[in-house]
Each structure stands twice: as structure tokens, then as C-alpha cells.
Amino acid sequence: MEKEIIVALDAMGGDLAPVETVKGAVDAVKELGNVKIKLVGLEEAVKKELAKYSYPEGKIEVVPATEVISTDEVPTMAIRRKKDSSMVVGMQLVKKGEADAFVSAGSTGALLTGALLIVGRIPGVERPVLGTCLPTGRDFTFLVDSGANVDCKPKYLEQFAKMGAVYVENVFGKKNPSVALVNIGAEKEKGDTLTKEAYELLETSDLNFTGNIEPRNIPFGEADVVVCDGFVGNTILKFAEGLSKALVGIIKEEITKGAYKIPAAMLLKPFKKVKKSFDADEVGGAPFIGLKALVVKAHGSSNAKAFKNAIRQCVLFTEADIVGKIQDKL
Amino acid sequence: MEKEIIVALDAMGGDLAPVETVKGAVDAVKELGNVKIKLVGLEEAVKKELAKYSYPEGKIEVVPATEVISTDEVPTMAIRRKKDSSMVVGMQLVKKGEADAFVSAGSTGALLTGALLIVGRIPGVERPVLGTCLPTGRDFTFLVDSGANVDCKPKYLEQFAKMGAVYVENVFGKKNPSVALVNIGAEKEKGDTLTKEAYELLETSDLNFTGNIEPRNIPFGEADVVVCDGFVGNTILKFAEGLSKALVGIIKEEITKGAYKIPAAMLLKPFKKVKKSFDADEVGGAPFIGLKALVVKAHGSSNAKAFKNAIRQCVLFTEADIVGKIQDKL
């Protein structure tokens, strides 16, 4: 029998916790093979929620934590002071070898800070990177860095690309993934100092580097991995969120009003399908890659499906020994 | 009688030149009051096109140029070598005081380079800035810098904001326009070194500064002017273009296919209206601000309406003495 993967889940993280975190854990142990979940959080609340379900015995364990870090706390302060928070306790399990990976939908800042301090970087990794799957209709493109590191050096971008490629190949099963550099022009000599120097590094690496990608081509999935600094990546991610919302709103209004009068009811199903094709829950969260174990930042509004899929990422990551593969690659 | 404004128009610039450039010039002299157009380009081609129209006598003059700069030429080389190109000749007219402003839909790189070399900066302006109107459904937000300057200093961003505010107030008539800094977090302490330092400068300026704007809020028009470096601005601009196209494609497909089967014909009009609300031609181009005269970069696919509206920007800019107002503001 394969080694059982142990995933610690922050039962208190996210807008819908602990209802959806607990349900996600139950779904995960039922649907995924060799995984055990350690649900970390306020003992009474978590156990009460867990009592609603039946699941394979011994597959879920509740690990008590008496504090919760909220999203409006200053990350470093929160991690240092709330030693018995679900987030800190969960990452301590990973550090002590009592869990293989950690998932949380709590404060992004606190999670990234805590992951660096508690789980720690793989030796040789300059900066761990946050990767996010950007939907491209039927598929997705993997955006690194989607927000963990501002003020980057060219070398960081090269490492982001390598870690992203290893992740996409092993967790999402895309062989020899193509990698492109986000830039404001297609030609090699375009861009700012950072991208020009990063281009040189990527070009001479062993990656399947396809050159610059202009942002207008990102939504069409022209590369499996797109690399940029965390300021640009986070801008793309958040702008995509806002523009999609604005555009869908305007289109709905135009179609249903005035002279055209297509009944809004006729649009419910197709718009639901469009929404699904841009559904972040299908992936389950943004992996923070380059640490000694996987830490997944699930979206604040994650539901049970998102948590289950985040847990699935942890299982695939651990089984494929991505930490070892990243060490080899760098 | 008011002083007549003379606008030089690159008759050869853009995908639809000289047909649409000439028509735009004719529409402009018919519809706008006190403007005269100098159409710069290959004499025979421009005169042949112009012969199709009637227009107020003396309002359009053809200025011959024997060369054309193409979009695939290296900007600095093209500007230096093609002294008799429509772009260089047009900007020389401005330099010599024979025209008040210049409009071109030709190579962006060549235009920005030539504008700096030939038209020249207003003393005190560190870097002229490219401003683009980003549609927000019924209105727009003015994005500075939308692509002229990468590797920016905080001081540049402060100047971009000031020039953008003067432009929006005087050309688009928005009194005391609100200005926000594009950043990956709403709080003051968020962002990279550049945005943190720019925030300090903007906060203590005399602008109507409203703080950081997260990219997800840009499409909802929460600020009249949004400021960022040219790499981030150009990324937003190009990503918006691609994502809109991708999203509209997916929505159209979902609505018309399968079980829902809303006839595509029923959607033509509403989608046309959505397109119109995102129509760059309504504005007519991106002004390059901070030079001794206005230079407008019209989109490569500009039609007559776009050129007419670009010319209108030149008239408003010159009448309002924006060069003087920028000098006062900085």
C-alpha cells in the first residue's frame, strides 16, 4: 500500500469556515485514496460540524487550536503572537513532520509569512512563489508569481518559471510545459530592466521557453506557464476578476433590456456555464511553491469542492516528490 | 474670432490610411469650429483621396512627405533616417510653430521617440506620459502611464498623476478629478518600493488623491485618473483587450449553442451596443502629455471618427493652454 499522505487543513480559514472546510475534508477522504486530514481549529466548533458526517474511521483527526487569525491583522504580528492559532498550529504540524502539506483559506499575508517562517524554504530557492491558475475557457494557464513577491530580481523570475514548470508538469500532468515571460512587447529587446535580464536567463535555461507573451494573449492560453513579478501578476489576477464582473454585468443588462428583451430566465443556464468555465473552485487554491512542503492558499470564498481540490493538489504534490524535483531543477 | 488651431495629421499612419485619415480630417473641419488640418503624407495618394470630398476652402492643406515609417522599424533608427517621413515632417511642423499639435496612428515607438526628440519636453517634466481612456461601461477612467515609460521613479508617477489630472479636467471637463494609485492592496503600506514612495508624494500633493486602487476596481470607474508605471499600465491595457475578446467569445458561444439556442441574430444588436460602450474611437487616441505641444497616438485600427475625435482633443488641449497649466502644476 502506498504511503498515506497527511494534509493539515485550517478548519477556521475562509468566509465559509468551518462548515465548508469540514465538508471538504470529508469529501476528500471519501473520494481521494490515500489521504488523511488533520482538521486544525477550535475543537468544539470543528467536532460539532464533523459530527454531521460519516466517513472512513481514522481518516480525519481534529487537532485543537484556541486562536484564529483574522484577515485584518498585520501578518508578521499575527504569526508571532497567535502561537495557538489554527494557521500556526497547522504549519507547525508540517514542520514537525506530522503532516505533509497545509491548506488554508485564511489571511494571505499571514499564510505567506508563516509559511516562510515556520515551514521554511527549500535550500537554493531565493523566493517561494505563489502560482494561480488563470482560466482560459476550457483550460488554464499557470501564473507565477501571482502576488507573493514584489521588487523582484531577474534570478527570482527564472526560479519562478522553473518551479511553475515542475508544478504544472507533475500536479496538472502537462508534459514539458511551455513557459512565457509576461512582457509589453513580443520582441526580445522589449520591456523593463527586469524582463530584459530575465529573458536572457530563461532563454539559456533548460525550460521549454517560448519567449515573451503580451498580456492580450494570456486569456487565450498560449503558454502553460506565464511568469512575471508578483506586482504585475497580482495586478493581472485582480484586474481579470474586476473586468469579468463588469463585462458580464453590462452584457446581461444589454441583452435583457430594451428592444431585444431576451428573457433573463433564458440566460441563467448559459451564464452559469460561463461562470463554471472560470471557476476557481475547480482547482482549489493557489500553491505556494518553493517551501519544504506544499502550502496552498485557498480563496477566501472557497466551498467544500475547493477545499477537496486543494487537498488533491497536496496529495499529488507529495506523491510526486516535487520538493526533490525542484531541488534537482534549480 | 478665436485663433484658428492648426493640427498636423499623419495621413499615412494606421491600417486604414490614407482613406480614413483623410475622411477624418474632412469630418473634423466640417464639424469642429476653428481648426485647420495639415495632412502630411505621400502627395499624390493624399490628394487623390481628398478629391473625393468637398470641405470649407483653405481648411485642409496637404504637406508632402516622401517616406513612411512602418511599424516594424526600430523607432530611433526610423526617426533619425527617415527625415522626410510623414511622421517626422508632421512633428517638424509643430517644432517650427507651423502646427499646434500632431496626430498619428503609426508606429507607437517611433511616435514617442520622435515626439521626445523633435517636439521636446516641457521644462521640468521628467518623462512625458501616455494617457489612455479605459472604458468603464458608461464612462471611462484615464490611465497614466499606459505604456511610454518603464523603470519609473516615484517622482515620475507623481508627475504622471498631475499631468493626467490637468488633462482630464481641461479636455474631458471633469472638475477636480479624483486620482488613485494602482496597487495590489488598498492600504497605504501595501505595494512595492515604487508605489510606497509614490504614495507619499501623492498624499502630500495638491491633487484630489483618493489612495490606492486595487486593479479589480478599475473597471468600475472608481477614480477619474489611475496612475502606475508604463509596464503595469500597458499590461492592464493589453490584458483588458484580450480578456474582453475571450470573454465575449465564450459568452456568445454558450448563449447560442446547445440547449439554450437563443438565435445568434437576436444578439447582434445588444453585442454591438456593448462593443460601442467599450469603443476607443469615441475618444480618438492616447495623448502623449508633457511635451511642448500635444501629440496624440491614435490606435492602429482607427477610423475617420477616431481621427476626428483625436483632432478634437488637440483643439481642446491647445485652446485650454494645457502646456501652461502643466507648467504651473508641476
Side-chain angles (χ1 to χ4, degrees):
Chain A
M1 188 188 149
E2 286 179 281
K3 178 186 167 291
E4 194 174 54
I5 310 292
I6 303 170
V7 178
L9 172 63
D10 178 357
M12 313 313 293
D15 308 335
L16 309 173
V19 176
E20 296 292 320
T21 49
V22 171
K23 183 168 188 306
V26 172
D27 291 347
V29 298
K30 283 182 179 171
E31 292 178 35
L32 312 174
N34 55 332
V35 65
K36 179 179 170 175
I37 310 293
K38 295 196 174 180
L39 272 171
V40 190
L42 304 178
E43 193 169 8
E44 198 181 338
V46 177
K47 285 193 168 163
K48 188 179 153 199
E49 200 54 41
L50 194 55
K52 295 180 184 169
Y53 303 96
S54 64
Y55 52 89
E57 206 179 337
K59 284 286 203 177
I60 297 181
E61 180 188 329
V62 178
V63 177
T66 58
E67 296 172 297
V68 176
I69 293 175
S70 70
T71 52
D72 54 7
E73 291 179 72
V74 177
T76 41
M77 300 273 271
I79 292 294
R80 278 190 195 137
R81 288 189 185 168
K82 291 193 167 171
K83 298 285 186 208
D84 203 41
S85 61
S86 55
M87 209 182 259
V88 172
V89 171
M91 290 194 277
Q92 288 289 358
L93 291 177
V94 175
K95 188 183 182 181
K96 290 181 284 183
E98 294 168 18
D100 296 300
F102 181 62
V103 173
S104 175
S107 157
T108 307
L111 185 65
L112 300 189
T113 304
L116 282 169
L117 291 172
I118 301 166
V119 179
R121 285 178 295 143
I122 297 171
V125 169
E126 300 260 5
R127 296 282 186 282
V129 69
L130 199 60
T132 296
C133 293
L134 273 186
T136 57
R138 270 154 202 80
D139 199 2
F140 63 84
T141 193
F142 197 59
L143 177 73
V144 284
D145 178 8
S146 62
N149 305 282
V150 296
D151 295 320
C152 288
K153 294 178 183 171
K155 177 76 182 166
Y156 302 174
L157 263 60
E158 186 197 12
Q159 289 200 343
F160 296 167
K162 287 183 173 177
M163 293 190 283
V166 169
Y167 198 90
V168 163
E169 177 147 6
N170 292 283
V171 175
F172 300 133
K174 294 190 186 184
K175 291 291 154 214
N176 193 26
S178 57
V179 176
L181 178 65
V182 177
N183 205 339
I184 57 172
E187 304 82 4
K188 180 179 172 175
E189 66 276 5
K190 287 289 170 72
D192 54 10
T193 309
L194 175 65
T195 49
K196 281 178 196 167
E197 293 179 13
Y199 192 105
E200 299 284 344
L201 295 175
L202 290 166
E203 200 180 20
T204 52
S205 73
D206 62 350
L207 290 165
N208 178 12
F209 180 59
T210 57
N212 290 327
I213 183 166
E214 287 195 271
R216 70 162 64 87
N217 295 325
I218 294 175
F220 296 95
E222 290 189 1
D224 298 316
V225 178
V226 296
V227 61
C228 55
D229 70 66
F231 192 97
V232 169
N234 200 257
T235 295
I236 289 174
L237 193 65
K238 287 184 175 158
F239 186 69
E241 186 189 323
L243 185 62
S244 307
K245 206 173 152 189
L247 207 59
V248 166
I250 292 170
I251 291 174
K252 270 191 180 173
E253 197 189 318
E254 279 303 328
I255 294 181
T256 54
K257 80 168 188 186
Y260 327 114
K261 289 199 181 86
I262 295 173
M266 280 182 77
L267 295 170
L268 284 180
K269 275 193 184 175
F271 269 103
K272 208 170 167 183
K273 238 186 126 181
V274 169
K275 197 168 171 285
K276 197 177 148 68
S277 68
F278 283 86
D279 193 351
D281 297 338
E282 295 287 340
V283 175
F288 194 36
I289 315 166
L291 302 162
K292 287 175 187 153
L294 183 60
V295 170
V296 176
K297 168 64 183 91
H299 199 278
S301 61
S302 292
N303 58 17
K305 184 169 85 178
F307 288 113
K308 184 192 72 190
N309 286 325
I311 292 165
R312 187 201 309 273
Q313 285 192 56
C314 293
V315 172
L316 294 169
F317 181 96
T318 311
E319 283 180 348
D321 181 28
I322 293 192
V323 168
K325 289 198 168 77
I326 285 174
Q327 280 179 310
D328 293 346
K329 187 90 177 175
L330 294 186
Chain B
M1 189 188 149
E2 285 178 281
K3 179 186 166 290
E4 194 174 53
I5 310 293
I6 303 171
V7 178
L9 172 62
D10 178 356
M12 313 313 292
D15 307 335
L16 309 173
V19 175
E20 296 292 321
T21 49
V22 171
K23 183 167 189 306
V26 171
D27 291 347
V29 297
K30 283 183 178 169
E31 291 179 34
L32 312 174
N34 55 332
V35 65
K36 179 178 169 175
I37 310 292
K38 294 196 175 179
L39 273 171
V40 190
L42 305 177
E43 194 170 8
E44 198 181 339
V46 176
K47 284 193 168 163
K48 189 179 153 198
E49 201 55 42
L50 195 55
K52 295 180 184 171
Y53 304 96
S54 64
Y55 51 88
E57 206 179 336
K59 283 287 203 176
I60 297 182
E61 180 187 330
V62 177
V63 178
T66 58
E67 295 172 298
V68 176
I69 292 174
S70 70
T71 51
D72 53 7
E73 292 179 71
V74 177
T76 40
M77 301 273 271
I79 291 294
R80 278 190 195 136
R81 288 188 184 168
K82 291 193 167 171
K83 298 285 184 206
D84 203 40
S85 60
S86 54
M87 207 181 261
V88 173
V89 171
M91 289 195 276
Q92 287 290 356
L93 291 177
V94 175
K95 188 183 181 181
K96 290 182 284 183
E98 293 168 18
D100 296 300
F102 181 62
V103 173
S104 175
S107 157
T108 306
L111 185 65
L112 300 189
T113 304
L116 282 170
L117 291 173
I118 300 166
V119 178
R121 283 178 295 144
I122 297 171
V125 170
E126 301 260 6
R127 296 281 187 283
V129 69
L130 198 61
T132 297
C133 293
L134 273 186
T136 57
R138 270 154 203 81
D139 199 2
F140 63 84
T141 192
F142 197 59
L143 177 73
V144 284
D145 178 8
S146 62
N149 306 282
V150 296
D151 295 321
C152 288
K153 294 178 182 170
K155 178 77 182 165
Y156 302 175
L157 263 61
E158 187 197 11
Q159 289 200 343
F160 296 168
K162 287 182 174 178
M163 294 189 283
V166 169
Y167 199 90
V168 163
E169 177 146 6
N170 291 282
V171 175
F172 301 132
K174 294 189 184 182
K175 290 294 155 213
N176 193 28
S178 57
V179 176
L181 178 66
V182 178
N183 206 338
I184 58 173
E187 304 82 4
K188 181 179 173 175
E189 65 276 5
K190 287 289 168 73
D192 54 11
T193 310
L194 175 64
T195 49
K196 281 178 196 168
E197 292 179 14
Y199 192 105
E200 299 283 344
L201 295 175
L202 291 165
E203 200 180 20
T204 52
S205 74
D206 62 350
L207 290 164
N208 178 12
F209 180 58
T210 57
N212 290 327
I213 184 166
E214 286 195 272
R216 71 162 64 88
N217 295 325
I218 295 175
F220 295 96
E222 291 189 1
D224 298 316
V225 178
V226 296
V227 61
C228 55
D229 70 66
F231 192 97
V232 169
N234 200 256
T235 295
I236 288 174
L237 193 65
K238 287 183 174 157
F239 186 70
E241 186 189 324
L243 185 61
S244 307
K245 206 173 152 189
L247 207 59
V248 166
I250 292 171
I251 290 174
K252 271 191 180 173
E253 197 188 320
E254 279 303 327
I255 294 182
T256 54
K257 81 168 187 186
Y260 327 114
K261 289 199 184 84
I262 296 173
M266 280 182 78
L267 294 171
L268 285 180
K269 274 193 185 175
F271 270 103
K272 208 169 167 183
K273 238 187 126 182
V274 169
K275 198 167 171 284
K276 197 177 148 67
S277 68
F278 283 87
D279 192 351
D281 297 338
E282 295 286 342
V283 175
F288 194 37
I289 315 166
L291 302 163
K292 287 174 188 154
L294 184 60
V295 171
V296 175
K297 168 65 183 89
H299 199 278
S301 61
S302 292
N303 58 16
K305 184 168 86 177
F307 288 113
K308 184 192 72 189
N309 286 325
I311 291 164
R312 187 201 308 273
Q313 284 193 56
C314 293
V315 172
L316 294 169
F317 182 95
T318 311
E319 283 181 347
D321 181 28
I322 294 192
V323 168
K325 289 198 169 77
I326 286 174
Q327 280 179 309
D328 292 345
K329 187 89 178 175
L330 294 186

